[in-house]
Structures are given as structure tokens and as C-alpha cells.
Amino acid sequence: MTAGLPLERELPDRVGVLVLGSGLAGCAALLAAAEAGQYAVMLEKTGEIGGSTVRSAGLSAFAGTDEQAEQGIADSVELLRKDLLETGRHRCDETLVDLYCEHQLDTYRWLTGHGVRYGEVHAASGQSVPRSHPTDTTGMLHHLLKAAGLLGARLLLDTKAERLVREGGRVVGVDVEAPGGGRHRILADAVVVATGGFSQNPELLARFAPQMEHALRAGGEGCQGDGLLMAWQLGAGVIDTPYVKGTYGIYHEPHPDEDGTGILAVYKGAIAVNREGRRFVDESLPYKEIGDAALAQPGVTTWQILDAQVMAQTNDEVPIYEFAGRERAGMLVTADTIEELEERLGMPEGSLVATVEDYNGRIAAGDADALGRTHLSGGVGAPFALDQPPFHAHPSGTVVLATYCGLTVDTDLRVLDVFGQPIERLYAAGEVIGGFHGAGYMTGTSIGKSGIFGRLAGTRAAAEESELEW
Ligand SMILES: Cc1cc2nc3c(=O)[nH]c(=O)nc-3n(C[C@H](O)[C@H](O)[C@H](O)COP(=O)(O)OP(=O)(O)OC[C@H]3O[C@@H](n4cnc5c(N)ncnc54)[C@H](O)[C@@H]3O)c2cc1C
């Protein structure tokens, strides 16, 4: 799949901006650099474009969009900023949060201007108003690559960047593993690292996030931390490693119909219980925090308990809310009563019944929830009693989808060394950077940050003084 972008077979010796990785961050950087008049070339180590981006649920967090206006959702950049800082427990790099806020709407307009379309907006983790904008990510990358191709940009598949090359204190190119084997050096005026995270590298996960030992893993097969390691070799700083978290809601074991995203019925009114039939978390929390809480439960696997009212909110266009699809795939345990469901799940007698009775009883009496749940997700939606049969249980675990920590960068997306100094002519964007999310995660900000920061990195890299004449 090259999406209309000419596929280069000959390895070039010299380019203007060299982009490593073909996810959203790389595609946005490539197009932005090409729009700035640079000869931009992208290297992708696998045979397919898209990395984790094309495996994702495709939700982007923007505020103040046309879709929100059409749905009557009042949002603002100030509210987005407040939510980002609060969700990140104020451990975020505020300058990067401000950068996201400053450029999110113009990037949204840039993307829609290139043909990207968004569907109905939903609320999810960390959002005090609905701002998850779903899109077809494969289509999105096609639009960007096609536009980049028309401006002369090129793509090399099956071409792995192995090492950054630095001369005279600045990055001057990359040594690559050529498709048929062998090494080749590509010189560039600037390099943008957009190689994604390391969710598919068990060794790096064990080093940086040992708490994820029992979590499942998802993400692009090429997402093994190559860019992180290459920049680290040049002295780059690495930040936010303590905050690598898994996402709650994935089916508890490999399943042919599991696309890696899981479901979040809890944000539509379900409760989460452990194998002892007890609730263990305020289900309105960001799903990374629910993921942590689930990993601490006996046996790790937990269940989301839905009734017919939750099931009725199924939405085939939003993977995390595609409950009926799970039922069709045989991934739900279903029963007419909570007693029967409890028995089918092998829970201690009376345990789930008591949990649901307590939950429903407090809602009916207007009493405080035992775990502090006041909304369904973030500040959106009111909890309701789970009393409409049939009842369903989705066995739910925690999965590392993305790693959220990574290289230190400044607001020009220049990679900073361990002393905070820019590594000249080296830029980074997307999942490979750290600092932005802090200690928590708002849905849609990983795709969001890949588009916003990828575009900025491409623009900034293109502004480096060129030694080439085109
Ligand atoms: C199942 C799932 C659901 C998700 N849902 C959402 C969501 O709804 N919203 C959201 O915001 N985030 C979501 N995420 C996270 C999000 O998809 C990623 O964080 C984001 O797409 C990363 O984009 P990227 O461009 O930085 O990296 P990627 O899209 O991962 O692209 C990186 C590319 O670089 C390539 N590469 C790696 N090393 C090299 C090398 N040495 N040389 C050349 N190429 C290299 C890789 O092969 C890959 O193609 C989800 C992730 C998963 C797995």
C-alpha cells in the first residue's frame, strides 16, 4: 500500500528532509516538509505504511470543530487545556500542552482541507465534554501521502533506519538497511524521527515498564523503539517512562475478532468487577487508570457487566463502543439474571448479586457511589441502575497499545539532549516523544499529537538552511 505516493526503489544519496516512519506523525511531517518546498523522503522499515496508526481506533481529540458545533457540544481551547493538565495530573510539559492547544484547530482544518473526514463525536477518557473525533485512519494517511506525492515527496518501504549520522555536532543523515540487505547512507538537511513507540519490544517494556509484565501487547509490528534508541545513542533525553500504562477493555486472551482496541462499556454505564464479583475502581476514570487497577486484581482478568440499556448504545462506527459486534463474535457471556451470570462466570455465590444490588440501590436512593463514581466517563453522563435483562459480561484485561513516553523535545520539536540542548537538525514527533501526556491519558491525544506535532516537525525541519539546490 503506497497510497498514491510514488514508491522509490533506488536509495537516494541526498535529500532535504528525511522522515523515519510512516504513521500519522511521519505522513504529516512528510507533507508539511513537501508543502514548504523541500525534497522530502520517508523511510518505512516494514512492507506496509501506517504502523500503529492504521491499527488504532482512529479517535482524535480536537476542540472547537465543525462536528462538535453540529452536535451542539460547547468546547473550547481553554477547557481542552484544563482537561489535558488535569488528566496528566499536572506532570505534563506545559509548553507541549500549550503547543497542542495552539495548533490543534489549524491542524484539524489542514487535515480536513486535505480530505480527512470525521464522524460523530463521542466522550471518552479524560474529556469533560465529548471531543473524540473518529476517522478512517488508512484513508487519512492516503489523503496526506497523495498530496505529498504531488509535491514530489517519495516513500521507501522495507527500508529500516539503523543509525543516525552526526558530523560536526549536527545530524547529517541516516544509515539504512537497504531492502535487499546491505548498508547505505542517506544524507539530509534535517531528519524527523517518527518511528512510533515500543509496544512491540518486550525488552524495552521490561526495562521501562516492568509493571506491564502481565499486560497484553498491541500496535504496529515495527514499533520497537528504534528511533528512541537511535536518538538515545546521540545523548537524547528520555522522559515519562514511569507513566507507561496499559489500556483497559481488551478481550482477556488472543481472539480472532479482537482488533486490539477492546471495548469500554464502562463509559456507557457498565460496571467493572473482578473474579470475586467485586467492583474495584471508579469506572469513570481514564482507561489507563482502570488498566492499572485491573492489573492489580487477583488473576488479572476482570469483567465489564452490561445490561440491555448499555447494549442498546452499541455503535458499529466506534470500535470501543461496538458491543453488538462482540456479542456476534461470541465474546460475551450472557444470562437473563445476575444470579445466572454470576454462576456462569464462576464467581463466589452471591458476590456479583450483592455488588449489583448495592450499586443499583445507591443510585435509587441518591447515595454516594461506594467508589466515588459520579459520571460515566470524565464529567459526562449519569450512572444508571443495571436492571434490564439480558445481562452480559465481557472478559476484560489490560493491553499496552502505545507507550506515551519518549524523547525530550522543545516546542520546535527539536530533540533535546540530556542537558536540555537541541541536537542540531534532529526532530521528532508522534508516539516516540515524551513529556506531553504526563501521568495520565486523554483519548484521542496520541493520534492528535501525531498529526499536530508531525506537521509542525515537518515544517520546522524544512526551515533548516539547505545545502541543496532543487
Ligand atoms: C489498537 C490501538 C488503538 C488505538 N486507538 C487510538 C485512538 O483511538 N486514539 C489515539 O489517539 N491513539 C490511539 N492509539 C495510539 C495511536 O494509534 C498511536 O500512538 C499513534 O498512531 C502513533 O503514531 P506514530 O505516527 O507516532 O507511529 P506509528 O503509527 O506507530 O508509525 C511508526 C512507523 O515507524 C516505522 N518504523 C519503526 N522503526 C523504524 C525504522 N527504524 N526505520 C523506518 N521505519 C520505522 C514503523 O514500522 C511504523 O510504521 C491506538 C493504538 C492501538 C495499537
Side-chain angles (χ1 to χ4, degrees):
M1 182 173 70
T2 66
L5 183 71
L7 185 58
E8 196 67 61
R9 302 214 180 268
E10 293 273 308
L11 288 171
D13 294 325
R14 189 115 192 41
V15 307
V17 173
L18 189 59
V19 177
L20 313 183
S22 69
L24 177 56
C27 292
L30 187 81
L31 175 55
E35 285 179 336
Q38 281 286 352
Y39 176 39
V41 171
M42 183 160 74
L43 309 183
E44 167 53 51
K45 83 178 192 188
T46 70
E48 296 277 332
I49 62 156
S52 289
T53 302
V54 294
R55 285 166 178 76
S56 78
L59 302 170
S60 302
F62 296 119
T65 63
D66 299 343
E67 290 77 12
Q68 286 179 314
E70 277 160 26
Q71 290 175 234
I73 299 162
D75 200 1
S76 67
V77 79
E78 293 75 24
L79 191 56
L80 171 66
R81 183 176 190 278
K82 181 171 171 285
D83 285 355
L84 283 169
L85 293 174
E86 280 176 8
T87 306
R89 305 261 186 256
H90 292 273
R91 300 289 169 89
C92 333
D93 177 338
E94 278 195 35
T95 66
L96 294 181
V97 170
D98 287 342
L99 192 70
Y100 186 105
C101 291
E102 190 185 339
H103 292 282
Q104 53 99 22
L105 207 51
D106 56 65
T107 302
Y108 160 81
R109 300 232 178 273
W110 181 73
L111 291 166
T112 53
H114 281 295
V116 178
R117 294 291 170 262
Y118 296 97
E120 190 186 340
V121 181
H122 291 267
S125 175
Q127 302 174 353
S128 61
V129 298
R131 61 169 75 97
S132 293
H133 294 66
T135 197
D136 157 24
T137 48
T138 302
M140 170 164 65
L141 299 191
H142 278 214
H143 285 300
L144 302 186
L145 293 182
K146 192 169 172 199
L150 291 172
L151 294 169
R154 294 291 178 266
L155 161 68
L156 287 137
L157 292 177
D158 294 312
T159 308
K160 181 183 178 197
E162 288 279 1
R163 295 284 184 274
L164 294 163
V165 182
R166 180 158 59 178
E167 278 174 15
R170 66 195 210 192
V171 170
V172 295
V174 168
D175 280 338
V176 306
E177 190 183 288
R183 284 273 180 110
H184 182 89
R185 179 161 294 183
I186 303 175
L187 298 175
D189 290 320
V191 175
V192 180
V193 180
T195 48
F198 55 89
S199 63
Q200 296 292 13
N201 185 331
E203 281 166 26
L204 278 188
L205 279 174
R207 184 185 302 189
F208 289 137
Q211 70 277 16
M212 290 297 127
E213 187 187 351
H214 297 296
L216 298 170
R217 296 198 307 271
E221 59 174 294
C223 299
Q224 291 164 342
D226 297 1
L228 184 79
L229 293 173
M230 283 188 278
W232 200 5
Q233 187 193 22
L234 301 192
V238 176
I239 193 167
D240 282 352
T241 52
Y243 307 131
V244 176
K245 289 182 188 297
T247 293
Y248 184 64
I250 192 164
Y251 194 72
H252 66 142
E253 58 190 29
H255 188 282
D257 285 301
E258 176 56 78
D259 59 8
T261 41
I263 58 165
L264 285 161
V266 286
Y267 290 163
K268 296 292 182 187
I271 56 171
V273 297
N274 63 17
R275 70 178 185 189
E276 288 161 357
R278 280 188 294 106
R279 285 175 68 214
F280 57 90
V281 71
D282 167 0
E283 295 90 344
S284 71
L285 288 175
Y287 45 66
K288 303 282 175 191
E289 294 180 38
I290 306 178
D292 277 352
L295 282 174
Q297 298 311 303
V300 178
T301 287
T302 68
W303 283 265
Q304 294 180 74
I305 307 293
L306 300 71
D307 76 347
Q309 303 166 89
V310 180
M311 179 56 89
Q313 299 175 68
T314 185
N315 185 334
D316 284 354
E317 285 173 16
V318 185
I320 56 174
Y321 299 137
E322 204 183 346
F323 313 140
R326 303 258 154 171
E327 188 178 24
R328 287 193 296 276
M331 296 162 86
L332 301 183
V333 178
T334 299
D336 287 331
T337 63
I338 293 290
E339 287 86 344
E340 194 187 330
L341 192 64
E342 173 191 281
E343 196 185 326
R344 295 197 57 197
L345 297 176
M347 290 173 177
E349 195 180 339
S351 59
L352 184 63
V353 171
T355 294
V356 174
E357 272 177 12
D358 176 70
Y359 182 75
N360 290 352
R362 284 174 191 259
I363 290 171
D367 291 344
D369 180 71
L371 293 166
R373 184 185 210 183
T374 54
H375 291 88
L376 296 185
S377 87
V380 178
F384 51 85
L386 296 173
D387 54 10
Q388 300 296 314
F391 301 97
H392 311 274
H394 181 267
S396 301
T398 300
V399 59
V400 181
L401 298 177
T403 38
Y404 308 114
C405 63
L407 303 173
T408 50
V409 291
D410 66 10
T411 53
D412 285 318
L413 282 313
R414 295 182 298 179
V415 177
L416 302 177
D417 71 15
V418 290
F419 298 113
Q421 297 304 308
I423 298 176
E424 280 187 57
R425 299 192 181 226
L426 184 64
Y427 295 78
E431 199 181 312
V432 72
I433 69 161
F436 170 70
H437 300 289
Y441 178 72
M442 180 194 292
T443 302
T445 50
S446 208
I447 299 269
K449 131 186 126 161
S450 296
I452 297 163
F453 293 171
R455 175 182 174 223
L456 289 173
T459 307
R460 303 287 191 266
E464 290 284 5
E465 197 180 317
S466 178
E467 287 160 6
L468 296 175
E469 300 243 340
W470 302 111

